[in-house]
Amino acid sequence: MANLVPPVRNTVDSTLLPVFCTACADLEAGSDFMRALNDGPIAQPGVRYAVPATRDDTTSTPAGAASSIGEPGVSNEFIQDLRPGAVSHQQLPRDPAVGRWVLDRLN
């Protein structure tokens, strides 16, 4: 909800996240942690990577961009492209379509 109102987002980012969810603050797009993580290649040559995301994610935001890796050998996919309908970030581990997607990528 905070993403809809920029002043609220700024307040949440500057006061609540550092106290109640340090990891959440680190995972915000543009954070010092994310800049350091993204400085240089992530994917290693010869390894295949698959990154699932949800289009309407409110946990990893902005949806897609917060989790996508734009490097060779990486497949970034929205679960809604495989299974139309709402699958939330929290539902990813329990969703049967996601489970099949993971198994397909491991084969």
Side-chain angles (χ1 to χ4, degrees):
M1 224 170 125
N3 286 335
L4 301 175
V5 182
V8 173
R9 171 85 273 158
N10 294 339
T11 301
V12 168
D13 288 350
S14 64
T15 60
L16 297 178
L17 288 184
V19 174
F20 295 104
C21 187
T22 305
C24 296
D26 285 345
L27 295 175
E28 286 280 318
S31 72
D32 291 341
F33 174 80
M34 292 306 291
R35 280 196 299 278
L37 180 66
N38 292 323
D39 185 24
I42 296 170
Q44 299 299 306
V47 178
R48 292 177 301 138
Y49 297 87
V51 180
T54 61
R55 290 191 186 282
D56 56 352
D57 204 323
T58 58
T59 303
S60 297
T61 59
S67 57
S68 293
I69 301 171
E71 296 180 16
V74 180
S75 170
N76 298 290
E77 298 182 47
F78 284 109
I79 296 302
Q80 285 83 1
D81 292 344
L82 307 171
R83 180 180 170 272
V87 176
S88 71
H89 182 96
Q90 293 79 5
Q91 293 169 322
L92 288 172
R94 294 179 301 280
D95 188 87
V98 175
R100 284 189 302 278
W101 180 88
V102 170
L103 291 174
D104 287 347
R105 296 318 173 274
L106 292 172
N107 288 328

